[in-house]
Each structure stands twice: as structure tokens, then as C-alpha cells.
Amino acid sequence: MNIAVFGGSFSPFTLGHFFVVGHILMNDPDIDQVMVIPCFEQEGKNNLAPYDLRLEMCNAALKYFAGRRVVVSDIERNTRSFTVETLRLLHELTPPGDHFRFVMGADLIDSAKTWNGWEEIEKLAPPYIVGRAGISNSEATPICPAVSSTLIRELLSFGDYLTAEKYLCRDVLDIIKRENLYIDNQIAN
């Protein structure tokens, strides 16, 4: 099985993330499954929404792909790990014939070379580069609209649900409202 591994903080899970999953499923005949993995912690990002709520947001948004080869994994629950460690664990837990591709935005290509274990990441799961608005990269699939989690968190911190809902799946926004996430810059990064 060929699996696209799509990790991130997903704080919150945006329509941009949703489009990436949809694009891979609809347009890449070589990918059998997309595995979405919210990280427990992410270096450089403080005050993420609680892990269980980010996991719930991923599941809520991705329910629209039910039965369409999407898995939300909690493999990183309760542990801070680097991408290379998660990929090693996936290789240990899956059948020997499974192959992985690591989904990453074109905006991360330059900095990825400095990541812990980058050369091993490239071997364990060759990068599947996803285009982002405003970032030019000839290898990237040009699919991701200009959606920024940082902008969405800022809008929500001021209670601007009307604008934020343009960038979120309805069910994700319902969770954010129910839990009062991102209000008054509680969760700013």
C-alpha cells in the first residue's frame, strides 16, 4: 500500500488541509491512503489547542472522506517526536510492502534540510510537495489556496467567526465555538 503521511499541528484543521487530502485522493493514482497525523507538540509552536481537540477537529473535517481511504492517526499521542521518529515507527507498525510519502508544503522545502534526520526522512518517505499560494516551486503540486492557520487563530481571537468560517469546515468551527478555542489570544501560536 502507498500511504501519503500528512502531519502537522492542525491548530485548527483548515480548508487548506482538507483540500490537500482531497487533491491527493482524487488526483494521485499512486496513493492508496492518506494518513493525517496531528503532532502532540511542535517545535516553534507554543500554545497549540489541546491535542484531543485537534484530533477531534481532524476527524470532524475528514468524515466527509469516510470510506475513501483517509485515516486520522493518534500515533503521536502524549509524546513529542520528530518527523523522522514517527516515520520509523510507521515502518515498524505496517506490513513490509507498505511505502510512504511525506506530505509537506512548498514553503517548508528550504528549512526541511535542517530538520532532525532529514536525509533519513527522504529515504523513509520521499517528500510529496504540495504547492502553497505565493510560494513558487517547480516540484510542487499547485493546489493549496491561501489559507493560514495563524490568520484564522488571529480572527478567532477577536471573535470574528464570520470571516474565520470562510477558511474552516463547519464541523471544525463548531468545535472551536463549543470549546471557546483561540479566544482573546489564549492560543496565539
Side-chain angles (χ1 to χ4, degrees):
M1 182 180 298
N2 294 318
I3 303 167
V5 178
F6 186 22
S9 62
F10 304 119
S11 189
F13 192 91
T14 70
L15 284 175
H17 300 127
F18 185 84
F19 292 151
V20 168
V21 172
H23 172 76
I24 292 170
L25 290 175
M26 291 184 292
N27 297 310
D28 194 327
D30 295 328
I31 298 295
D32 301 308
Q33 182 182 80
V34 177
M35 183 179 293
V36 175
I37 305 176
C39 65
F40 186 70
E41 293 179 355
Q42 188 171 16
E43 189 172 322
K45 288 194 177 182
N46 300 316
N47 302 321
L48 297 174
Y51 178 82
D52 286 338
L53 293 175
R54 292 184 288 118
L55 190 66
E56 183 181 355
M57 286 188 270
C58 290
N59 279 307
L62 295 169
K63 73 181 182 186
Y64 299 101
F65 292 110
R68 292 199 174 100
R69 311 172 331 221
V70 176
V71 173
V72 177
S73 173
D74 67 351
I75 195 169
E76 290 196 5
R77 177 180 296 279
N78 297 324
T79 182
R80 178 183 181 172
S81 69
F82 292 101
T83 300
V84 68
E85 294 164 347
T86 302
L87 291 172
R88 285 180 195 140
L89 184 57
L90 287 173
H91 275 273
E92 289 174 22
L93 297 174
T94 56
D98 284 359
H99 301 281
F100 298 95
R101 297 288 307 273
F102 175 60
V103 179
M104 64 185 297
D107 57 320
L108 297 175
I109 288 295
D110 291 334
S111 66
K113 293 173 180 135
T114 66
W115 293 2
N116 183 21
W118 176 248
E119 289 179 8
E120 187 176 355
I121 291 169
E122 289 181 301
K123 291 176 186 158
L124 292 171
Y128 187 109
I129 302 165
V130 176
R132 299 229 17 203
I135 307 292
S136 68
N137 183 308
S138 60
E139 296 178 51
T141 305
I143 55 122
C144 195
V147 178
S148 162
S149 294
T150 303
L151 170 65
I152 294 167
R153 287 189 300 270
E154 184 177 313
L155 293 167
L156 293 168
S157 75
F158 297 110
D160 188 355
Y161 294 109
L162 193 59
T163 304
E165 74 181 358
K166 296 175 185 176
Y167 304 105
L168 298 166
C169 297
R170 179 177 45 253
D171 297 322
V172 169
L173 185 59
D174 289 345
I175 294 166
I176 290 168
K177 286 179 177 179
R178 181 191 78 211
E179 299 293 332
N180 293 313
L181 295 176
Y182 313 109
I183 301 297
D184 296 325
N185 289 320
Q186 295 174 37
I187 299 172
N189 288 329

